[in-house]
């Protein structure tokens, strides 16, 4: 069974032009799959539909066999979603926030506790975890959010620009965490980014998206060969016919 | 583990620590009403002391006769402190009194004693110097009035004793007395209806007012909490967590009801301090009538009455909070949510006003239907129904509210399942969004 199966997906926001226009792709279990494209390509829209937040205009999406519209609740039990702009409850401490999410996902107190320990490790927030989240920098908030997303060890993690707003050092560290989680726990990761380096480093396969359509798909190495380019940026420009 | 419990704890902490909610809803009322109350009670305490006889006054005795010195002796014996002015003219006497901080000048004109002796009406004059337009400044003159009335009674008794020594003077003064009884709901009470009404009124006003407060405060909290999720972009995460959407709604309901209860306790304690400052006013009227014990029993609400009111209140709270949460989910930010909510408050105030000023059943049919269509009407109007022993209306209310509340919950739950909850973006008083 595929971890994610998207077929002929179309999303038209009220009255506008299609944000996604007939997108088809699938993600294997245990794979890191990247959606790559410029701003406005439709990456966030696609991820939101998979995360059961918005409904497709037409087409279908299945997560581990469950339809995201028909069985939204079952899908929510399998995924963990990191939005592009993830808000925080400023009045809670980092710890209280993690505790809340852990209690929602965990089956037992032990499991909740180990989730929070993992999150402390990923976030690297140290003793600041006891401070109110509103006192955190943007980068610290983002690290808390990445930690929150991964700590529950979902079957499928959906990460929308996970390292946006992070400095080089922390971005590198977070990428390492994502990699480690996939290797250790066999998660499936669907990630979006316009950072070509990140995609190249992390993804087993990528899908180039432009104006709501899939342009090309494959492992980064093969795509580079196919377009005889040295980096992904060039691949993208050649694929959409701009270079 | 229990997601719903985790959610309620999260709501509770996040809301309780919100400066806007903490200050505006929880602390401000108790502070404001409390401070107002203690200021008033200080004022009334000094009023009471003033009335209790620590009155100081200046006296200009132009008479010098026997009845004048009776009067002065009596005032002294009643604990008034008396300063005898030296000046002989009224305007100078006023200045002299003022220079000694005495605001009351009693003038006993020439011929006062001789008039009383020959049976001609004698006159007294009181000048009050007012420094500000406060309640306090009226007290000394009222106190003097009471003293003079006592003096008059004493005079009447002694004059009557001289003229008709066989007759009881109190009979002549008051040959007919009136005992008033009020019959309500079959029980007879020895008190005039106005007194009973006063008591009933304070009860039939306080309870609805408290309910009204709880509901309004809870709605504001619920709306703020929902709009904060949207404005702060936390809703997008919340909606993908493995929590039933109905539970998210219920978590918000429970969180805001909890905070609202705390807020209302704050309000009501502030209000109680405020109200208790009034009870310090000497209530001669009530005390004098000696309200009998059995009267208290009639206006007491029985336990089943409180249960019925409680059910009505909870049902309408759930319905109105779902509406508040749903409405604020349509808004893009907290401010817009509060503007939207303001519109809903208008029909809610209607039943509250009607309970104070009119009897709903005397309204034209269209208005009556309007009042009975609004959920908050039921708990508020039930207070009067239950006080007058009518349980049918409140119980019909429970049936109506149960249906209304279930439908609202159903619609809200449906709305929570739809993507509109995330994408609706009503804004007020802001520049239109610039598309990137
Ligand atoms: N809530 C919305 N309402 C209307 N249009 C939207 C909404 N969200 C996104 N869009 C539009 O859909 C298109 C795709 O956006 P998005 O999925 O956010 O792209 P990306 O994440 O790749 O930058 C854009 O043209 C954007 O303006
Ligand atoms: Mg995006």
């Amino acid at each position: 069974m595929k971890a994610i199966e998207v077929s002929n997906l179309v999303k038209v926001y009220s009255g506008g032009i299609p944000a996604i226009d007939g997108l088809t792709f699938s993600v294997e279990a245990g794979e890191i799959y990247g959606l790559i494209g410029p701003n406005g390509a439709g990456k966030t829209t696609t991820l939101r539909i998979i995360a059961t937040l918005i409904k497709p205009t037409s087409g279908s999406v299945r997560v581990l066999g469950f339809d995201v519209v028909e069985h939204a609740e079952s899908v929510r039990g399998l995924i963990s979603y990191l939005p592009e702009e993830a808000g925080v409850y400023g009045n809670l401490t980092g710890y209280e926030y993690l505790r809340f999410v852990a209690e929602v996902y965990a089956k037992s107190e032990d499991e909740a506790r180990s989730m929070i320990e993992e999150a402390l490790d990923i976030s690297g927030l140290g003793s600041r975890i006891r401070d109110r989240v509103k006192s955190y920098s943007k980068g610290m908030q983002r690290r808390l959010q990445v930690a929150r997303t991964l700590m529950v060890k979902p079957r499928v993690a959906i990460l929308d620009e996970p390292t946006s707003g992070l400095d080089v050092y922390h971005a590198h560290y977070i990428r390492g965490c994502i990699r480690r989680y996939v290797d250790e726990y066999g998660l499936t990761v669907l990630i979006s980014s316009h950072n070509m380096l990140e995609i190249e480093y992390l993804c087993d396969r990528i899908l180039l998206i432009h104006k709501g359509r899939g342009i090309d798909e494959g492992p980064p190495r093969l795509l580079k060969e196919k377009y005889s380019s040295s980096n992904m940026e060039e691949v993208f420009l050649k694929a959409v016919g701009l270079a | 583990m229990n997601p719903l419990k985790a959610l309620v704890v999260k709501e509770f902490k996040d809301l309780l620590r919100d400066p806007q909610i903490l200050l505006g809803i929880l602390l401000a009322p108790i502070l404001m009403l409390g401070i107002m109350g203690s200021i008033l009670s200080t004022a009334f305490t000094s009023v009471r002391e003033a009335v209790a006889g620590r009155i100081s006054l200046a006296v200009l005795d132009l008479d010098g006769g026997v009845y004048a010195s009776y009067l002065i002796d009596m005032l002294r014996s009643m604990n008034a402190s008396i300063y005898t002015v030296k000046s002989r003219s009224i305007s100078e006497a006023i200045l002299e009194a003022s220079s000694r901080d005495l605001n009351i000048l009693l003038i006993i004109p020439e011929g006062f004693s001789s008039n009383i002796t020959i049976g001609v009406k004698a006159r007294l004059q009181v000048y009050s110097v007012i420094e500000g337009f406060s309640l306090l400044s009226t007290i000394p003159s009222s106190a003097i009035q009471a003293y003079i009335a006592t003096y008059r009674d004493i005079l009447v008794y002694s004059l009557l004793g001289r003229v008709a020594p066989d007759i009881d003077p109190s009979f002549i003064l008051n040959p007919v007395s009136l005992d008033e009884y009020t019959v309500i709901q079959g029980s007879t009470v020895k008190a005039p209806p106005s007194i009973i009404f006063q008591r009933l009124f304070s009860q039939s006003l306080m309870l609805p007012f408290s309910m009204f407060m709880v509901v309004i405060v809870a709605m504001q909290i619920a709306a703020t909490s929902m709009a904060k999720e949207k404005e702060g972009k936390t809703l997008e995460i919340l909606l993908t967590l493995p929590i039933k959407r109905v539970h998210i709604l219920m978590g918000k309901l429970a969180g805001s009801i909890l905070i609202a209860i705390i807020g209302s306790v704050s309000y009501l304690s502030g209000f109680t301090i405020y109200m208790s400052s009034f009870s310090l006013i000497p209530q001669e009227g009530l005390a004098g009538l000696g309200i009998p014990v059995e009267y208290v029993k009639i206006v007491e609400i029985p336990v089943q009455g409180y249960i019925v009111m409680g059910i009505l209140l909870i049902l309408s709270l759930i319905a109105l909070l779902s509406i508040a949460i749903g409405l604020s989910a349509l808004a893009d930010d907290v401010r817009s949510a509060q503007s939207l909510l303001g519109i809903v408050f208008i029909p809610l105030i209607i039943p509250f006003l009607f309970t104070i000023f009119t009897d709903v059943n005397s309204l034209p049919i269209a208005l009556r239907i309007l009042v009975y269509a609004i959920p908050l009407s039921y708990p508020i109007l039930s207070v009067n129904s239950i006080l007058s022993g009518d349980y049918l209306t409140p119980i019909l209310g429970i049936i109506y509210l149960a249906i209304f509340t279930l439908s609202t919950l159903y619609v809200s739950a449906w709305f929570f399942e739809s993507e509109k909850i995330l994408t609706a973006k009503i804004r007020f008083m802001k520049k239109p969004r610039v598309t990137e």
Side-chain angles (χ1 to χ4, degrees), chain A:
Chain A
M1 194 201 324
K2 305 267 193 235
I4 302 172
E5 237 181 320
V6 175
S7 55
N8 280 317
L9 187 63
V10 175
K11 176 66 186 183
V12 185
Y13 285 109
S14 45
I17 47 160
I20 309 174
D21 197 5
L23 201 59
T24 300
F25 66 91
S26 57
V27 181
E28 303 290 337
E31 190 179 25
I32 303 186
Y33 191 91
L35 301 183
I36 173 167
N39 285 331
K43 304 181 296 289
T44 297
T45 304
T46 308
L47 298 188
R48 282 179 150 197
I49 292 172
I50 300 169
T52 75
L53 282 169
I54 54 178
K55 304 209 159 63
T57 309
S58 68
S60 79
V61 175
R62 290 174 174 276
V63 174
L64 294 161
F66 292 99
D67 187 278
V68 293
V69 178
E70 299 296 310
H71 302 288
E73 242 169 62
S74 313
V75 171
R76 281 176 210 136
L78 301 167
I79 61 165
S80 182
Y81 170 62
L82 174 67
E84 190 174 356
E85 285 181 73
V88 290
Y89 299 102
N91 296 324
L92 299 187
T93 66
Y95 178 83
E96 286 168 332
Y97 179 60
L98 294 174
R99 176 99 223 158
F100 159 60
V101 176
E103 280 182 19
V104 167
Y105 279 90
K107 305 273 176 295
S108 68
E109 175 59 33
D110 281 349
E111 196 185 347
R113 226 176 272 154
S114 81
M115 281 180 182
I116 295 170
E117 252 161 55
E118 299 262 4
L120 284 174
D121 191 38
I122 300 170
S123 69
L125 282 167
S127 62
R128 293 297 307 276
I129 202 75
R130 298 279 172 186
D131 293 344
R132 299 262 173 107
V133 175
K134 64 178 156 203
S135 73
Y136 292 7
S137 70
K138 278 266 173 289
M140 290 163 78
Q141 293 186 1
R142 193 67 182 164
R143 270 145 59 202
L144 180 70
Q145 282 298 350
V146 174
R148 183 274 302 167
T149 313
L150 292 178
M151 72 172 188
V152 301
K153 300 183 197 76
R155 298 281 298 279
V156 175
I158 302 167
L159 313 175
D160 199 349
E161 315 252 2
T163 59
S164 76
L166 291 185
D167 58 49
V168 179
Y169 169 76
H170 281 111
H172 176 78
Y173 177 72
I174 291 294
R175 275 178 219 127
C177 288
I178 296 171
R179 213 28 302 163
R180 178 168 65 84
Y181 257 69
V182 173
D183 294 345
E184 268 177 40
Y185 303 105
L187 330 174
T188 306
V189 175
L190 176 61
I191 194 168
S192 95
S193 182
H194 55 247
N195 181 338
M196 308 287 172
L197 256 172
E198 169 163 303
I199 290 286
E200 219 178 321
Y201 168 79
L202 269 180
C203 298
D204 300 316
R205 285 192 304 145
I206 59 174
L207 174 69
L208 306 176
I209 304 188
H210 188 54
K211 294 185 176 161
R213 290 209 175 91
I215 305 290
D216 210 340
E217 187 194 43
R221 195 175 46 81
L222 292 185
L223 284 173
K224 279 195 287 189
E225 276 171 22
K226 181 175 171 187
Y227 291 92
S228 45
S229 308
S230 59
N231 62 58
M232 290 309 299
E233 232 155 84
E234 217 177 305
V235 168
F236 187 84
L237 290 172
K238 283 185 175 161
V240 299
L242 289 170

Side-chain angles (χ1 to χ4, degrees), chain B residues 180-183 188-196 289-292 295:
Chain B
E180 274 203 83
Y181 296 86
T182 305
V183 182
T188 308
V189 172
K190 191 179 175 194
S194 58
I195 298 291
I196 301 226
L289 277 159
I291 294 174
Y295 145 71

